[in-house]
């Protein structure tokens, strides 16, 4: 398990990409596939007509349950992978689920018991070049991170600063079965 150390918490205050308040504008700039981390982000993308290829959801926003409207839009027929992931961590199950979801040829929801906030970094590391990772920036909007060798290197560097065996975690994300 990887754990976020106190001294790294500030690294997540600044967005890793451009911030959007309009889902249609974000989608016009997004690559393919799209990986969404967060319930509200996934909701906005679906309402705008684009179901993310991979959605990482925990049923919460700002540590509170999402509204019934958001929950109803997020309910659906997509295959689900259930994982447990404690707050401020990345569990081996979370990393494996991301790899599995990206490799599937279907829209997949990773449903997290616990917290999904840190899933952005491994999503960037695991996604193919040209993909987009979208996550929420509280009280600001949606952040679009185009997956490039540069954004992947930045995400990998942040993962390597986490407590735990980061190299084993990165290996889980980058393995090709």
């Amino acid at each position: 398990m990887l754990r976020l150390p106190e001294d790294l918490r500030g690294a997540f205050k600044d967005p890793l990409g451009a911030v959007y308040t309009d889902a249609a504008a974000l989608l016009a700039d997004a690559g393919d596939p799209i990986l969404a981390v967060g319930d509200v982000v996934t909701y906005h993308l679906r309402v705008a007509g684009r179901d993310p290829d991979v959605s990482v959801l925990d049923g919460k926003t700002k540590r509170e349950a999402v509204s019934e409207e958001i929950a109803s839009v997020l309910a659906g027929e997509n295959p689900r992978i259930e994982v447990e992931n404690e707050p401020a961590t990345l569990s081996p199950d979370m990393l494996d689920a991301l790899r599995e979801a990206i490799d599937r040829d279907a829209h997949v929801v990773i449903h997290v018991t616990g917290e999904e906030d840190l899933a952005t970094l491994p999503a960037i590391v695991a996604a193919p070049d040209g993909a987009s990772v979208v996550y929420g920036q509280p009280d600001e909007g949606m952040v679009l991170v185009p997956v490039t060798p540069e954004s992947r290197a930045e995400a990998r560097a942040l993962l390597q600063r986490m407590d735990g065996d980061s190299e084993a975690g990165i290996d889980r994300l980058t393995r090709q079965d």
Side-chain angles (χ1 to χ4, degrees):
M1 178 177 311
L2 300 178
R3 185 168 299 283
L4 183 66
E6 284 295 323
D7 66 333
L8 192 56
R9 292 179 191 266
F12 296 94
K13 299 264 187 260
D14 293 328
L16 297 173
V19 178
Y20 292 77
T21 56
D22 180 82
L26 181 147
L27 288 168
D29 293 341
D32 192 55
I34 294 176
L35 292 79
V37 178
D39 297 68
V40 175
V41 166
T42 301
Y43 165 82
H44 285 296
L45 295 177
R46 285 186 178 177
V47 168
R50 177 63 160 86
D51 189 11
D53 299 272
V54 176
S55 301
V56 185
L57 311 174
D58 65 2
K60 295 179 253 177
T61 181
K62 298 181 187 177
R63 305 212 184 350
E64 300 290 329
V66 296
S67 69
E68 286 185 32
E69 177 188 349
I70 291 173
S72 69
V73 169
L74 298 181
E77 301 301 314
N78 289 346
R80 290 169 62 110
I81 301 171
E82 300 284 339
V83 300
E84 291 188 20
N85 193 76
E86 296 175 23
T89 69
L90 290 167
S91 68
D93 286 347
M94 172 67 87
L95 302 178
D96 291 344
L98 280 165
R99 177 77 265 152
E100 179 184 341
I102 290 167
D103 289 344
R104 285 193 188 179
D105 191 23
H107 294 266
V108 177
V109 170
I110 299 171
H111 183 264
V112 180
T113 299
E115 186 177 279
E116 38 61 333
D117 293 0
L118 293 178
T120 298
L121 293 178
I124 295 167
V125 170
D129 285 347
S132 291
V133 175
V134 184
Y135 69 94
Q137 188 76 10
D139 301 319
E140 290 186 43
M142 299 170 285
V143 180
L144 173 63
V145 183
V147 178
T148 64
E150 295 78 19
S151 64
R152 188 176 294 111
E154 182 180 354
R156 184 185 290 251
L158 287 168
L159 283 173
Q160 288 170 329
R161 292 177 55 196
M162 293 182 73
D163 292 337
D165 190 348
S166 60
E167 289 308 314
I170 291 168
D171 286 347
R172 291 179 106 95
L173 295 167
T174 58
R175 73 177 186 272
Q176 301 296 317
D177 292 335

